[in-house]
């Protein structure tokens, strides 16, 4: 399990990455203040798609149950 500090740092890194990935169309604060879980999942999927990560329904189900 992650500590609150680790989760905060992870969230900040995702926000910073999203800003760079979408070429400063918004700020990290916009992401941190406006991104709910669904939005974060969209960001993660876009990054995975860009990197060619293959996802299976089985692995997605296991992740969501944890």
């Amino acid at each position: 399990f992650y500590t609150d500090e680790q989760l905060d740092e992870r969230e900040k890194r995702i926000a910073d990455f999203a800003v760079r990935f979408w070429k400063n169309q918004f700020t990290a604060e916009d992401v941190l203040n406006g991104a709910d879980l669904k939005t974060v999942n969209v960001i993660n999927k876009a990054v995975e798609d860009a990197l060619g990560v293959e996802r299976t329904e089985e692995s997605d189900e296991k992740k969501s149950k944890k």
Side-chain angles (χ1 to χ4, degrees):
F1 294 100
Y2 294 103
T3 65
D4 288 342
E5 292 80 17
Q6 289 171 318
L7 291 173
D8 289 344
E9 181 61 27
R10 183 171 185 252
E11 186 177 60
K12 183 181 178 311
R13 287 181 183 189
I14 290 172
D16 290 341
F17 180 83
V19 170
R20 288 190 311 274
F21 188 80
W22 278 281
K23 301 187 190 265
N24 299 312
Q25 293 181 39
F26 41 81
T27 67
E29 289 295 317
D30 292 335
V31 176
L32 293 171
N33 293 326
D36 56 13
L37 180 58
K38 183 178 179 181
T39 304
V40 172
N41 286 336
V42 169
I43 292 170
N44 286 334
K45 182 168 181 352
V47 171
E48 289 173 351
D49 290 348
L51 296 174
V53 174
E54 292 187 34
R55 301 180 92 201
T56 64
E57 288 183 33
E58 181 180 312
S59 66
D60 290 345
E61 287 177 16
K62 287 180 184 176
K63 287 179 186 177
S64 66
K65 289 182 182 179
K66 289 185 177 181

